[in-house]
Amino acid sequence: MFARLTSARSLLAAAGLALTCLAGTFAPTAASAAVPYLQLNASEPKYAAIVIDANSGEVLYDKRGDSPRYPASITKVMTLYLTFEALSEGRLKLTDQIVMSPRAAAQAPTKIGLRPGESMTVDEAIKAMAVKSANDVATAVAERLAGSESRFAALMTLRGQELGMRNTRFVNASGLPDSRQISTARDLAILSRAAMRDFPQYYSYFSVKGFYFRGNYIKGHNRLLDSMEGFDGLKTGYTNASGFNLAGSAVRDGRRLIAVVLGGPSTAWRDNNMEDLLLTGFDVIKRRSRGERTTIAANIYEDEPSGPIERPSAEQGDGDQAGLSIVLTENPRSAPVKVSPTLRGAQAATPVKAVKKPKGEWGVQVGAFRSKSLANEQLKLVRGRITKLVSDAEGAVEGAGGMFRAQFQGMTNEAAREACSALKAKRMPCIVLKP
């Protein structure tokens, strides 16, 4: 484990000095001067991304990596980092109880839903934050470790500075909306790397897909844990202001990459973009080992998201903090953040049946390869790039003459031609297959 710069007691003492930055105007002090009061540019796209080598820290891809963004629930990676630190120093045990205070219980969803005075073990609390993204639990843990959430937030900011997070400021432990809680893709990648580097014994919590709590199975939000080989963490996040965020990591051939995607317009787009960045990163590393000089940016089509953020349905799971407006919560004694009215309840009560498009006899071929696995990878890549255009098509790999052809079948003439036009615009191969 890498040595950390200060002890927990020293950091808590310094956090007391930094509390002035959490009440009203951000007044620079010796402890807080390194963190500027960043403002988001409303005209700038929400999207930002970065890919780094987990071992060396080398930046392999950077798209607005230093532009200020709202971290949403990726904030909980720092809350978990400090929880792991307390465990490693013996200040906390996995069997200790975390008691829910009235303030913690009043936090906005997503939450575990304990009443004031009820408790859960530290082990359960960690899973609730990593898997459920429970805001009430994050506040309860903050209060347990630092006495108050505002004191804990100051501690979070200070620890972030020590880790090298130069443009991050925390004001709560959960990531619930607050216009002063700002970070960057680079800083969140630094945090992700620190969590796995400093506390490898606890990193597996980020890979938990679901857990049982009081007889109920709670399923996680991170779909890539199921769909991408080698993907093992870390944390999703969403608010109306941030869009769909994800800090992720994967291992292939003994190499680990970390990627952060911020401001995705939907869970599907965010997840596809994360997978594209990581897969391209691994390919770049392999080609570099053969002496090629190449980069992720030179090998990936930078499909900038556009249009409004898709608000998730109540069933979607990754809608933690959905419908919440950005508010200032500078007074710890103020009323809890209120959820603004949304259509989530109506969506859950009256589900709309999807209308299936008619199947056709046309199709498209998107590549021919010498291995079946490469053909399947191409199908997955294309589906991620033009999801809507092939959503009703059936992916298939046809083998003939020693080649494996990646195809989408069951399309109409119009759909096949539209799909090929879109792929060619992205400089990707495509042939229309006639009946």
Side-chain angles (χ1 to χ4, degrees):
M1 182 184 300
F2 285 56
R4 288 176 291 279
L5 298 181
T6 62
S7 69
R9 290 188 179 88
S10 299
L11 194 63
L12 279 167
L17 296 176
L19 282 174
T20 53
C21 76
L22 299 176
T25 306
F26 180 60
T29 67
S32 62
V35 184
Y37 186 17
L38 297 172
Q39 293 285 349
L40 273 68
N41 185 347
S43 64
E44 186 176 20
K46 291 179 183 291
Y47 177 70
I50 196 166
V51 180
I52 68 172
D53 185 308
N55 183 49
S56 66
E58 177 191 2
V59 176
L60 302 174
Y61 180 81
D62 182 347
K63 183 77 170 182
R64 305 188 190 96
D66 293 309
S67 297
R69 295 290 185 272
Y70 297 122
S73 274
I74 298 180
T75 296
K76 293 184 180 75
V77 177
M78 177 57 87
T79 303
L80 287 162
Y81 181 96
L82 293 175
T83 304
F84 298 155
E85 182 178 75
L87 287 167
S88 69
E89 294 178 353
R91 294 183 286 115
L92 207 59
K93 296 178 182 178
L94 288 173
T95 54
D96 286 349
Q97 295 291 313
I98 299 294
V99 180
M100 195 65 58
S101 70
R103 185 174 184 276
Q107 296 301 302
T110 297
K111 58 201 295 183
I112 207 73
L114 292 180
R115 296 188 182 94
E118 293 185 323
S119 63
M120 64 197 313
T121 65
V122 171
D123 176 68
E124 290 171 330
I126 291 172
K127 291 174 183 174
M129 288 187 286
V131 179
K132 175 69 172 175
S133 197
N135 298 319
D136 52 351
V137 176
T139 297
V141 168
E143 293 171 343
R144 169 64 186 267
L145 290 177
S148 71
E149 187 172 17
S150 59
R151 185 176 174 85
F152 186 79
L155 187 154
M156 293 168 72
T157 301
L158 290 168
R159 179 60 81 212
Q161 290 181 44
E162 292 185 348
L163 295 175
M165 300 171 69
R166 303 304 179 198
N167 294 305
T168 295
R169 181 185 181 210
F170 295 110
V171 296
N172 64 51
S174 62
L176 279 168
D178 189 305
S179 60
R180 302 163 301 164
Q181 182 133 315
I182 297 294
S183 190
T184 65
R186 186 186 307 278
D187 279 4
L188 294 174
I190 289 172
L191 173 59
S192 300
R193 184 178 180 228
M196 62 181 67
R197 178 196 67 201
D198 295 345
F199 306 108
Q201 69 272 40
Y202 300 119
Y203 179 69
S204 61
Y205 276 110
F206 292 112
S207 302
V208 176
K209 299 176 183 179
F211 69 104
Y212 283 94
F213 180 68
R214 298 192 174 183
N216 296 315
Y217 183 73
I218 299 174
K219 184 174 173 57
H221 305 159
N222 198 336
R223 295 165 178 80
L224 286 180
L225 290 172
D226 291 313
S227 62
M228 182 179 177
E229 180 185 354
F231 189 89
D232 58 10
L234 297 153
K235 188 73 190 71
T236 62
Y238 168 80
T239 65
N240 291 339
S242 72
F244 290 87
N245 297 346
L246 177 58
S249 183
V251 178
R252 292 209 174 172
D253 300 322
R255 299 294 294 270
R256 176 179 287 280
L257 297 181
I258 297 168
V260 175
V261 172
L262 305 178
S266 67
T267 53
W269 193 98
R270 175 201 66 191
D271 292 352
N272 288 332
N273 185 239
M274 171 66 69
E275 189 168 10
D276 283 354
L277 288 171
L278 289 172
L279 289 176
T280 306
F282 287 121
D283 181 62
V284 164
I285 288 174
K286 186 180 296 184
R287 290 163 61 184
R288 283 183 176 182
S289 70
R290 299 196 296 259
E292 293 185 44
R293 299 181 64 182
T294 187
T295 64
I296 292 178
N299 289 274
I300 195 168
Y301 182 81
E302 295 185 329
D303 188 14
E304 189 81 13
S306 60
I309 300 294
E310 295 179 13
R311 180 173 293 174
S313 69
E315 297 87 359
Q316 198 165 349
D318 197 21
D320 50 310
Q321 309 160 26
L324 291 170
S325 59
I326 290 294
V327 295
L328 294 179
T329 55
E330 57 202 19
N331 183 357
R333 297 179 181 176
S334 62
V337 180
K338 295 182 179 179
V339 182
S340 60
T342 70
L343 297 177
R344 296 175 67 202
Q347 291 171 343
T350 354
V352 179
K353 293 183 178 179
V355 179
K356 291 185 177 180
K357 297 179 181 179
K359 294 287 184 181
E361 297 180 351
W362 292 67
V364 295
Q365 181 170 304
V366 293
F369 305 87
R370 294 192 178 276
S371 76
K372 189 174 182 179
S373 61
L374 288 176
N376 280 317
E377 287 285 352
Q378 181 71 355
L379 288 175
K380 188 183 296 185
L381 177 64
V382 169
R383 197 177 286 281
R385 296 287 174 83
I386 56 168
T387 305
K388 292 181 179 179
L389 297 181
V390 295
S391 61
D392 294 304
E394 180 182 352
V397 174
E398 299 285 345
M403 299 295 290
F404 295 89
R405 295 170 174 80
Q407 301 176 353
F408 287 96
Q409 302 171 353
M411 305 174 73
T412 62
N413 181 357
E414 181 182 359
R417 295 186 183 281
E418 187 179 359
C420 263
S421 296
L423 286 173
K424 288 177 180 178
K426 297 176 183 291
R427 301 178 184 177
M428 296 180 69
C430 187
I431 301 172
V432 173
L433 302 175
K434 299 180 180 180

